[in-house]
Amino acid sequence: MFDVEHVGEGIPDPSWNVKPTEQIPIVLESVKDGPVVRRLESARWSLVPSFSKQLTSGYPTFNARAEEAAEKASYKNSVASKRALIPAAGYYEWHTAGKVKTPYFVHSDDGLPLALAGLYSWWRNPALPGDDPARWVLTATILTSDAQGALAEIHDRTPVVLPEEWWDQWLDPHTAGDQSLVDAAVAASRPPAAGLRFYEVAPLAGAANGPELTEPVGSEHVAGASGDPRG
């Protein structure tokens, strides 16, 4: 689906309950003494910029606000040339009313995986010697933007889902990325372009992990439509 030319080691098995800092598959393009190569790699879901002194962060970096990504020190270099696609069958979003959180599962209307717009970074562990392959850690984050249409009735933010005609440009490391590129990608992702649908699912229980987590317990809604899906 993504025309991957190289598959890296340790690609994680499918998961229906992925948590920040766990491994996720990402699609990226790299250049090293030759042509551009499109790769599928395993990355730690929470971006760590190369200048960080440690792998953990004092603030969450599994999501990055698209509106300010190019201005943030943690993401600026990644916006410039280290952009990725994060393939996903869908994602969960929670509507909060008081102390009650209701989960929804958002997916494509054609059943194909979504391509979430992401950024990646290579972090070098200073505690490991230069000849240790484990010294390099690939990390990634998912861009989010203001929710539109019926999705906005659930939550005010949503991952940026890129349409296929945007994949090549977004991944190309020769395309100098800046805030205008991110803004254009967000505009291209707006409903109905993304072709999203969603429905309520049962609450996710701790370590539960299986396809039953995405089974609907309510009717399905079109993400680009207006109106309260909870009615």
Side-chain angles (χ1 to χ4, degrees), residues 145-170:
S145 64
D146 288 334
Q148 302 287 313
L151 281 177
E153 302 291 342
I154 300 175
H155 196 275
D156 61 346
R157 304 292 295 178
T158 186
V160 176
V161 180
L162 287 181
E164 186 173 357
E165 60 268 21
W166 256 83
W167 297 353
D168 291 348
Q169 180 180 4
W170 184 254

Side-chain angles (χ1 to χ4, degrees), residues 102-190:
T102 304
Y104 289 80
F105 182 66
V106 187
H107 62 97
S108 66
D109 58 5
D110 58 11
L112 294 175
L114 304 176
L116 308 182
L119 307 172
Y120 72 92
S121 177
W122 286 99
W123 179 78
R124 181 173 178 175
N125 188 341
L128 297 179
D131 59 353
D132 189 335
R135 73 190 185 282
W136 289 105
V137 180
L138 180 61
T139 69
T141 188
I142 296 172
L143 291 176
T144 67
S145 64
D146 288 334
Q148 302 287 313
L151 281 177
E153 302 291 342
I154 300 175
H155 196 275
D156 61 346
R157 304 292 295 178
T158 186
V160 176
V161 180
L162 287 181
E164 186 173 357
E165 60 268 21
W166 256 83
W167 297 353
D168 291 348
Q169 180 180 4
W170 184 254
L171 292 176
D172 187 355
H174 294 307
T175 298
D178 54 17
Q179 191 59 46
S180 64
L181 177 69
V182 177
D183 293 343
V186 170
S189 75
R190 294 302 193 192

